[in-house]
Amino acid sequence: MASKASTIIKVNLDENRVTTIPFGARVQRTDRWSYVSKIDKINTLKMLGVSFTGSPQHYTMDKIDDLWSRLKATSDVREFNFNYQEEAPQPQPKQEAPMPQNPSTPNTQPKVEGSLDAILQAVIADVIGSYVPEVNPETVGAIVNEAMTPYVDIFRNVTDQVANLNKVVSTMQPKVTRVTLTTGEVKDLEGVQHKMFPKILASINEGVNCWLVGPAGTGKSTIAEQAAEALGLPFFSENCTATMTSFELKGYKGATGNYETTKFRQAFEHGGVFVLDEIDNANPNVLGTLNNALANGVMGFPDGMIKKHPNFVAIATANTFGTGPTAQYVGRNPIDLATIDRFAQMEIDIDEDIENAMLNSIGLDVNVAAKWLEAIRVARTNVNNYGLKVIVSPRATVNGAKLIRSGAFTPWEAFEVTVLKGAKVDQVEKIRHGVNLG
Ligand SMILES: Nc1ncnc2c1ncn2[C@@H]1O[C@H](COP(=O)(O)OP(=O)(O)OP(=O)(O)O)[C@@H](O)[C@H]1O
Ligand SMILES: [Mg+2]
């Protein structure tokens, strides 16, 4: 600990002594040079006309003592008296009856010689007076850095978790999206919509067919349903499979000659949003029928020609752009360019706000949810960075959260069966890299 500077009163070179009044004290004292503190030695030398290069605080004690020895060897004057002005005595107030002391009022009485404070200060100055450690800012910086290192990761972790917590909490606020339809009607939509929702809504409103492409579970089917609801249009959905036939679109006449209608026919004739879910799984024959329907204003059904309703819009959802199998989606069919041409293709990626909202609806403890979400995001970044052919879908987020909530699965067990499922042994380590689930 550095001591505070004293007032230098007298210096005797022959006796090797310095007389001072220590800081805060009112009694003077005389010390041998070797017991004088660094700051007082520096001030003494300065008062004796010694000049320093740079900051004298950075001088070592040996160097300062060396300057003292040189001064002693060369100076003609052997004793120096500095003109120390004793504080003029304060005019004493007239003696009055003593006021009762208020214990919370600090005692502003001047310290008297020989007071306990003064004695203690003198003792402390004696003990540590000559010890002034060299302070090198770089060394101190290095020591502080080293001491802080174990805490930096903890701080970072806590900061990340708080950020996630905020995200989760923010999705607890009910959201309302306001849309204006081409009719001028203004609608308030409840719940959370994908960030691409306004564009898709506008496309449907304009009668432009949409092809929504994106990884599994990003909300493609949900967007289509929400858009139909927002526009007040009937909603129909057909899941495409390899065994699907064109009858499932056109319908057929039964043995009795009665026409069996389909969802597609309903939408085509009376208006509505018709979703072809997983179009890249569809049988090419079905797509041929669909092309005709989308290209022309009328279409032949088993019971006759039907005019397309102006409010008929088709939405295709797919995991691919229709260009055939990809690394992640191996079984997908390439789609005829004529079919693709009839749709505006829009990418639907994971919208983290929706994922937060979905997670929030599970009702997991907020801290557990934040940790789980963080694990999912780290895993997803790993998949991206390592270029792994694995999908960490929002469904994994929701399903994992449900398993944790059940109490039958630890977070790691839930991670294993929802995120790591299907991953190869060499991929598992990469996906888990940096994931912290306790
Ligand atoms: N906006 C949303 N608000 C709340 N939940 C949503 C939202 N969007 C999607 N979900 C939920 O996310 C899950 C996946 O959504 P959806 O089935 O629409 O995705 P998808 O992209 O069609 O998936 P797939 O490619 O597997 O068909 C569903 O459980 C759905 O209820
Ligand atoms: Mg879907």
Side-chain angles (χ1 to χ4, degrees):
M1 186 202 300
S3 57
K4 298 205 170 167
S6 312
T7 306
I8 316 292
I9 299 175
K10 197 159 90 179
V11 180
N12 190 310
L13 296 181
D14 294 325
E15 290 175 6
N16 222 21
R17 289 180 192 280
V18 180
T19 303
T20 61
I21 297 185
F23 176 82
R26 296 176 70 84
V27 255
Q28 66 178 52
R29 49 181 285 166
T30 301
D31 289 301
R32 290 182 64 74
W33 176 259
S34 54
Y35 292 113
V36 175
S37 70
K38 183 175 181 181
I39 185 75
D40 288 348
K41 282 183 177 180
I42 291 168
N43 287 340
T44 305
L45 291 170
K46 277 184 180 170
M47 289 173 82
L48 299 182
V50 175
S51 56
F52 292 82
T53 331
S55 166
Q57 281 299 337
H58 293 147
Y59 276 54
T60 62
M61 204 63 129
D62 282 349
K63 210 164 168 191
I64 290 169
D65 290 343
D66 188 44
L67 290 173
W68 171 256
S69 304
R70 277 198 229 171
L71 185 76
K72 276 176 55 167
T74 54
S75 174
D76 295 332
V77 186
R78 308 307 296 169
E79 186 173 279
F80 301 82
N81 281 294
F82 299 105
N83 197 10
Y84 173 65
Q85 291 285 315
E86 285 263 3
E87 266 179 59
Q90 297 293 312
Q92 289 297 311
K94 266 205 306 187
Q95 284 293 320
E96 284 179 17
M99 293 290 287
Q101 281 284 317
N102 177 350
S104 65
T105 309
N107 184 2
T108 52
Q109 294 289 316
K111 288 187 177 68
V112 291
E113 281 187 19
S115 72
L116 188 59
D117 273 5
I119 293 165
L120 279 176
Q121 276 180 14
V123 172
I124 292 168
D126 244 5
V127 175
I128 62 164
S130 60
Y131 175 68
V132 180
E134 280 297 302
V135 178
N136 176 341
E138 281 172 19
T139 315
V140 173
I143 293 168
V144 172
N145 266 347
E146 197 183 319
M148 288 301 292
T149 303
Y151 301 101
V152 170
D153 281 348
I154 296 173
F155 286 144
R156 198 169 290 146
N157 226 330
V158 169
T159 315
D160 288 351
Q161 284 208 25
V162 168
N164 276 328
L165 205 60
N166 283 339
K167 277 190 200 162
V168 174
V169 170
S170 78
T171 59
M172 288 174 166
Q173 320 298 326
K175 279 190 186 158
V176 175
T177 307
R178 178 159 289 187
V179 291
T180 308
L181 309 182
T182 40
T183 56
E185 189 190 347
V186 177
K187 273 199 160 187
D188 285 337
L189 310 177
E190 290 205 357
V192 189
Q193 281 82 32
H194 196 282
K195 54 182 186 280
M196 285 295 287
F197 180 80
K199 287 197 165 61
I200 293 152
L201 186 74
S203 307
I204 298 174
N205 203 27
E206 293 296 335
V208 176
N209 305 313
C210 303
W211 178 299
L212 309 184
V213 59
T218 53
K220 300 178 291 296
S221 305
T222 307
I223 292 172
E225 198 170 344
Q226 286 175 333
E229 196 188 328
L231 294 169
L233 294 173
F235 176 77
F236 306 93
S237 172
E238 200 69 73
N239 200 33
C240 302
T241 61
T243 55
M244 187 182 185
T245 67
S246 59
F247 293 124
E248 284 168 62
L249 293 185
K250 286 184 171 181
Y252 58 93
K253 275 198 169 169
T256 56
N258 285 341
Y259 172 67
E260 295 291 333
T261 190
T262 64
K263 296 176 194 167
F264 178 75
R265 166 70 177 266
Q266 298 295 310
F268 193 82
E269 188 173 2
H270 305 294
V273 174
F274 181 77
V275 173
L276 280 144
D277 239 340
E278 321 274 345
I279 195 172
D280 45 2
N281 270 339
N283 179 322
N285 290 333
V286 176
L287 296 180
T289 305
L290 181 72
N291 278 352
N292 289 336
L294 299 182
N296 308 312
V298 287
M299 181 174 160
F301 284 85
D303 60 338
M305 296 298 282
I306 300 291
K307 205 170 156 234
K308 186 166 80 178
H309 193 278
N311 284 346
F312 169 80
V313 181
I315 295 188
T317 75
N319 297 128
T320 67
F321 284 95
T323 45
T326 63
Q328 269 102 338
Y329 301 99
V330 284
R332 303 306 151 108
N333 297 323
I335 312 283
D336 194 293
L337 282 181
T339 306
I340 293 176
D341 191 42
R342 292 179 162 85
F343 293 88
Q345 284 191 322
M346 285 177 248
E347 274 193 83
I348 310 296
D349 282 326
I350 294 170
D351 182 335
E352 293 191 340
D353 281 348
I354 293 182
E355 190 174 43
N356 293 345
M358 285 161 64
L359 178 61
N360 187 44
S361 68
I362 306 299
L364 212 56
D365 169 85
V366 177
N367 286 304
V368 178
K371 204 160 190 184
W372 175 246
L373 195 61
E374 170 69 4
I376 292 283
R377 303 271 156 89
V378 171
R380 203 172 274 151
T381 308
N382 289 342
V383 164
N384 223 9
N385 291 347
Y386 288 109
L388 305 177
K389 290 159 189 152
V390 173
I391 298 154
V392 184
S393 94
R395 281 201 188 92
T397 314
V398 171
N399 290 339
K402 285 180 181 168
L403 298 182
I404 297 169
R405 184 189 59 188
S406 75
F409 289 74
T410 65
W412 270 121
E413 285 168 344
F415 191 81
E416 208 165 309
V417 298
T418 56
V419 178
L420 296 178
K421 67 167 194 298
K424 299 192 187 102
V425 180
D426 60 314
Q427 295 174 327
V428 167
E429 266 319 291
K430 291 177 181 160
I431 300 171
R432 286 171 53 126
H433 183 83
V435 172
N436 176 13
L437 281 171

